[in-house]
Structures are given as C-alpha cells and as structure tokens.
Amino acid sequence: MSIAKRGSVTLADVAEEAKVSRSTASRALNDSPRISEETKRHVREAARRIGFVPNAQGRALAVGRTETIAVIVTEPIDELFADPTYSAFLGGITERLTESAYLPVLLQASRPSERERFRHHLERRAFDAVIDISPYKGSEVLDSMRDLNIPGVIVGQMDDQPYEGIFSIVFSDDFEGAQLAAQAVAERGRTRPIAILGPADNPASTDRLAGYRQVFGEALGDERVRFTQWDSSAGFASMMEMLNLTDDFDAVLAGSDRIAVGVMEALRQSGIEVPEQVSVIGFDDHPLSKDTTPPLTTIHQPLYEEGQIAADLAMRMIDGERPSTVVEHMRLVERESL
C-alpha cells in the first residue's frame, strides 16, 4: 500500500522517501540556505511523488513567519470600493507580492470592534507586517502596531509624521502636486480661482490647499474654499453652493478627479462652459478623468507605484531593515478642461 493511501503523509514519510534525515527534509522544504539546491530538488520531488502537503502552521514555526502581510483600511467599506485610489494602492501591493512568498490579507478597521479584533490578530502575531493605506483615521491601529513592535508601512502623509522612524512611509508630495495644478491654471490667465477639497481633517486636503495658495495667495481666501468629501456628488453639491453665493470665479481647483466630475456637471447644468468660461483641474489622474466632457486636466499621483513600494518596504522590514521614508513626485497631465 502506498504512503498516500495508508493515511496522512508526514514529513517523516518525505524523509524516508528521499533517503535523508527528517531535519534535512524540513530545511530543504523551507528553502534553507544551509541545504544545497540539488538536495532541495531531490526532497521536493520526493514530496510530490508521495503527495505531501506542508502544514501552514508548521511551516510558520519552522521559518518563524506566517508569510502574510495585512493591508488595513480604516475608511468605511463603501468608500474602499468607491474610491479608485484604494484599488490602485491594492493593485500595486498585490502585484508586487505575487513575486514573493507573501500573501496579502485585506482587513477592515473602520469601527472600534474591528480595530479591537485587529489588535487580537496582532497579539497572536498573525501577520509578519502591516500596510496601512488610510493612516489618517483610526490612529489606535498604528498605536497597537507600535506597542507590539509589528513591522509596518504607512501609505500617505500624516500631519507632523508622528510615526516617522517607527514605520516605513511612502507618499506623494501633495503640496508639490497642488502647486503644479495652480501654476497650470495661472498660466491660462486665470486669476479668480475657487477650491473644492476633501475633508478638512485629511492631510491631503490641507497640503493641497497650501500648494494652491503658494501660487494664488490671497486670491484664494477662506471664503473661496470648500471642504467636502472626495466623491462626485459632494463636488456637485459644493459647486452648486458656490454658484448660489458668487459668479466671481474663472477656475475651479478640485481636490480629486471625482470632485471635478461633480463640479463639471454642476457647471454644465448652470450653463457655464468649460474651459471657455471656467477652467477646471482635478487631482489623482484616475481613469475616469479621460472620460469627462471635456477630458479633465489633472495631476498624476503614482498610486499603483506607491503600492508596489509599500510592499517592498514591508518585506524589507520583515527582513530586519530599519524604517525608511520614500517620497514620490507628481506630474501635470494636460487635457482639455483648462
């Protein structure tokens, strides 16, 4: 009777089949540098012949790792699937990890109960590292990671970077991107802008407003700024609100492409032509920016690349590297809305 038929195949069976010791078989299957490549191939072939399936928990103990990296989102679940920013981050992370032994695990942590569950996973060392793609909310998640000394990567900039030197950080320079947007608008001869941004407590909003004001200064006073959500319906509502207050503007600086979509629809319904009467510029360069009428000029943020970098940084920290910070640059994508 074959080994496979008489019951569950064990590591001892692999060692017997390969004519090696049990410890050699274990090291070979766990890719130990102490074992030659020829022996590794020989043991793996023996394992395949008898149908050996490694036990995940046993492997984790052998290599001292779970080979999983948690990706944490502290935004509500509907925002996760509605905002293309997150899908770009996740695409980059997933693509990079497919080249490795690590499996990404997506966890929601927008509610206190979810954050408590996440802490329990951390305490059990269920993950080798954590990537937080919305670090500006739910700071207790990051505090738990710090307290338990879990390798972590923050995707995005936080006010005063309180975790610099504790976790690795990757972000694109929102101030730089906003300057590029405002300069492009100013070069069209526009002098009376308004700005519609995301939530006021989001560092991306405040940094983008600072970048706009670096170019326009007092021409962009508080009365000409609205903070809202990042989506098109919020952009539409904020633009309609501004139209009810004033017609003294010739450009709209939208804090996201989704906001810009709503802005352009509000202008269209109000009989205002883009770009003949009002210039509109977005931010992020999501795919939807190509499909607006007219196509949207925007700022390209390398979101997919940030996800790839985050995965790289996480794996390096697992291997013992110190935390590091990577700042990506943005660029102007010119289309027809200016």
Side-chain angles (χ1 to χ4, degrees):
M1 181 180 292
S2 70
I3 293 172
K5 288 182 179 178
R6 72 170 185 247
S8 177
V9 182
T10 68
L11 182 63
D13 295 325
V14 176
E16 180 183 347
E17 177 75 12
K19 304 295 191 292
V20 299
S21 69
R22 192 177 185 281
S23 61
T24 296
S26 175
R27 292 190 184 104
L29 292 173
N30 288 309
D31 202 26
S32 169
R34 298 170 59 185
I35 304 297
S36 71
E37 292 301 317
E38 181 180 354
T39 300
K40 289 177 186 177
R41 285 194 296 272
H42 174 66
V43 172
R44 288 167 183 165
E45 287 170 2
R48 282 195 294 272
R49 283 198 302 272
I50 64 175
F52 175 70
V53 179
N55 177 276
Q57 290 181 328
R59 174 169 169 78
L61 289 172
V63 301
R65 297 176 181 175
T66 66
E67 294 186 340
T68 60
I69 293 176
V71 182
I72 289 294
V73 184
T74 52
E75 290 278 10
I77 194 71
D78 55 346
E79 185 66 13
L80 169 65
F81 291 108
D83 190 343
T85 297
Y86 295 120
S87 62
F89 285 153
L90 291 170
I93 292 168
T94 302
E95 191 274 338
R96 180 64 185 88
L97 291 183
T98 58
E99 304 168 7
S100 76
Y102 290 97
L103 178 71
V105 177
L106 180 63
L107 291 180
Q108 187 76 14
S110 60
R111 296 181 295 183
S113 61
E114 292 170 338
R115 292 169 192 163
E116 184 62 25
R117 180 184 62 181
F118 173 63
R119 183 178 176 88
H120 289 325
H121 284 305
L122 292 180
E123 290 172 344
R124 294 191 299 105
R125 292 300 194 271
F127 317 110
D128 295 322
V130 177
I131 300 172
D132 189 342
I133 61 175
S134 53
Y136 42 85
K137 286 193 175 183
S139 61
E140 59 265 42
V141 165
L142 295 170
D143 290 342
S144 295
M145 291 162 54
R146 178 197 59 202
D147 296 344
L148 294 166
N149 198 30
I150 303 294
V153 181
I154 294 173
V155 183
Q157 194 170 12
M158 299 179 69
D159 287 335
D160 301 322
Q161 295 293 21
Y163 299 98
E164 192 165 18
I166 300 171
F167 305 125
S168 288
I169 303 167
V170 56
F171 64 92
S172 294
D173 191 333
D174 285 300
F175 181 85
E176 173 193 62
Q179 276 187 298
L180 290 173
Q183 286 166 358
V185 169
E187 287 170 4
R188 294 297 194 277
R190 307 299 190 177
T191 59
R192 296 173 289 116
I194 61 173
I196 301 178
L197 297 126
D201 62 352
N202 189 311
S205 295
T206 53
D207 286 350
R208 290 173 192 182
L209 178 57
Y212 296 152
R213 283 178 167 166
Q214 182 69 18
V215 175
F216 283 109
E218 294 180 358
L220 192 58
D222 289 346
E223 73 282 359
R224 302 180 72 83
V225 176
R226 288 291 180 275
F227 292 103
T228 183
Q229 300 301 311
W230 296 111
D231 59 277
S232 59
S233 60
F236 178 87
S238 293
M239 188 69 253
M240 294 301 290
E241 179 185 342
M242 292 295 283
L243 286 166
N244 288 331
L245 295 174
T246 181
D247 59 1
D248 182 30
F249 63 92
D250 57 10
V252 181
L253 301 160
S256 75
D257 291 341
R258 294 195 295 158
I259 288 174
V261 168
V263 165
M264 292 171 73
E265 176 60 19
L267 293 173
R268 186 192 68 79
Q269 291 188 20
S270 301
I272 299 172
E273 296 183 347
V274 176
E276 290 80 6
Q277 295 171 272
V278 173
S279 293
V280 177
I281 189 167
F283 210 108
D284 292 325
D285 194 27
H286 288 317
L288 60 87
S289 62
K290 302 174 185 177
D291 299 328
T292 59
T293 304
L296 181 66
T297 294
T298 187
I299 299 299
H300 177 79
Q301 183 175 189
L303 303 168
Y304 191 87
E305 292 82 356
E306 285 180 49
Q308 292 178 309
I309 292 168
D312 273 325
L313 291 172
M315 289 188 286
R316 290 175 189 172
M317 289 190 72
I318 292 169
D319 288 336
E321 286 195 19
R322 298 285 301 164
S324 58
T325 297
V326 177
V327 182
E328 292 288 282
H329 296 287
M330 303 197 192
R331 60 182 172 82
L332 176 72
V333 178
E334 294 193 57
R335 296 195 180 98
E336 299 171 25
S337 63
L338 290 188

